[in-house]
Amino acid sequence: MEPLSEPAQLRAAAALIAGAERLVVLTGAGMSAESGVPTFRDALTGLWARYDAQALATPEAFEQDPALVWGWYEWRRELVERVGPNAGHEAVARRDAVVITQNVDDLHERAGSKNPIHLHGSLFTPRCSGCGRAAGAPAVGGAGTEGPRTPPSCEHCQSLVRPGVVWFGESLPVDALEKAVEAAANADVLVTVGTSGVVHPAAEIPQVTAKLGGTVIQVNPQPTPLDPFCAVNLRGPAATVLPEIIR
Ligand code: BV8
Ligand code: ZN
């Protein structure tokens, strides 16, 4: 079959989504790119440019240089506080979809999506690296300065407070992963947006839907390893395409 033209693909995706009773949306860093939040791989500009995200987002990096790692996450949190959700987040929030995100920002919540499933944690839930207690949300409105910052110590056990995210080599929160897999298994349609589809186990979620007979639609300007599982691959940016297909 001739590949569908762009408008025909958009119409086909919009019809599939409109007819879906159980809609799931899986998002990656590309979902927040048009809000001005650098994608995971691009979150290393300026002072951070010399680091590799995959090396910095690890327990070993925090162990070795807690101030550098804490500074990177605080810089990213303060950047998210200064921006807002984009038209893509708002389109997703219009539907009663289950939102599963790999992103650690709070833009889905701020757009109105209820209880997005955070597979990789959040910039806004720091916790003690020793006793695991939630540490009070850091002071709002930091200066957004780049560079190392000394992490606070836990009020209860004095261990260092760490970012509330899942690092490489750490297991995902069991309840989040279970809820995400269950939603994907029951989905009529899963829309995967703005993820490079290379980090596991998140990258396996669209395959769960496809293997159990659901339809997967991808929104990403670039091809990804998820392409073969997708009935429709829309090559465009989230904030432009999502308002066209989620009405
Ligand atoms: C684990 C939080 C048990 C921190 C992140 C199986 C096979 C291979 C490897 C593994 C495997 N199982 C486990 C592993 C190891 C590892 C892994 O997957 N490694 C890969 C890289 C080889 N996984 C883990 O360690 C996971 N833990 O499985 O525990 C275990 C442990 C050890 C060994 C085995 C098992 C934990 C992974 C979680 C890591 N934490 N984030 C933080 O944010 O700092 S991952 C982080 O990177 C993101 O959360 C995201 O998940 C991932 C990739 O980022 P993306 O969101 O995809 O963004 P990216 O920048 O890559 O790409 C942006 C995309 O957007 C692009 O495609 C671009 O085209 C597109 N785009 C750009 N602009 C737009 C756009 N799209 C739409 N609109 C636009 N405008
Ligand atoms: Zn503690």
Side-chain angles (χ1 to χ4, degrees):
M1 172 177 136
E2 271 295 295
L4 288 174
S5 70
E6 186 63 16
Q9 291 210 54
L10 284 169
R11 281 196 302 275
L16 286 163
I17 291 168
E21 270 176 37
R22 292 183 302 281
L23 177 66
V24 174
V25 180
L26 169 70
T27 64
M31 181 79 214
S32 300
E34 287 150 284
S35 291
V37 179
T39 62
F40 183 70
R41 274 154 190 72
D42 297 345
L44 290 163
T45 53
L47 176 133
W48 313 110
R50 73 177 80 122
Y51 299 102
D52 161 34
Q54 224 147 291
L56 217 47
T58 61
E60 293 75 19
F62 185 70
E63 179 82 26
Q64 199 187 340
D65 190 341
L68 178 73
V69 174
W70 179 256
W72 183 44
Y73 283 92
E74 283 296 274
W75 172 73
R76 288 171 63 190
R77 179 180 60 79
E78 289 164 359
L79 188 153
V80 169
E81 281 175 350
R82 290 198 301 274
V83 299
N86 60 55
H89 294 103
E90 284 154 6
V92 171
R94 277 202 289 270
R95 277 293 302 264
D96 58 348
V98 173
V99 176
I100 305 168
T101 188
Q102 300 168 74
N103 299 337
V104 292
D105 62 50
D106 61 350
L107 298 179
H108 280 302
E109 291 88 336
R110 287 162 58 188
S113 288
K114 300 270 171 293
N115 311 314
I117 299 170
H118 279 272
L119 292 178
H120 295 158
S122 162
L123 290 168
F124 299 90
T125 56
R127 65 173 187 273
C128 174
S129 60
C131 68
R133 270 182 172 75
V140 173
T145 47
E146 291 192 21
R149 293 191 227 175
T150 309
S153 298
C154 168
E155 283 159 15
H156 178 76
C157 75
Q158 306 318 312
S159 302
L160 290 180
V161 172
R162 58 162 283 174
V165 300
V166 178
W167 279 324
F168 286 98
E170 294 186 320
S171 299
L172 277 57
V174 175
D175 57 324
L177 186 56
E178 279 176 357
K179 267 174 33 185
V181 170
E182 189 189 353
N186 295 320
D188 305 322
V189 174
L190 180 142
V191 184
T192 173
V193 188
T195 181
S196 52
V198 296
V199 170
H200 292 256
E204 288 144 45
I205 290 192
Q207 297 175 47
V208 170
T209 300
K211 287 192 175 128
L212 292 173
T215 303
V216 182
I217 295 167
Q218 180 166 225
V219 177
N220 192 322
Q222 304 293 332
T224 76
L226 301 174
D227 281 26
F229 304 100
C230 299
V232 185
N233 281 298
L234 298 170
R235 296 272 189 262
T240 310
V241 172
L242 288 175
E244 298 261 315
I245 61 173
I246 303 179
R247 300 203 186 276

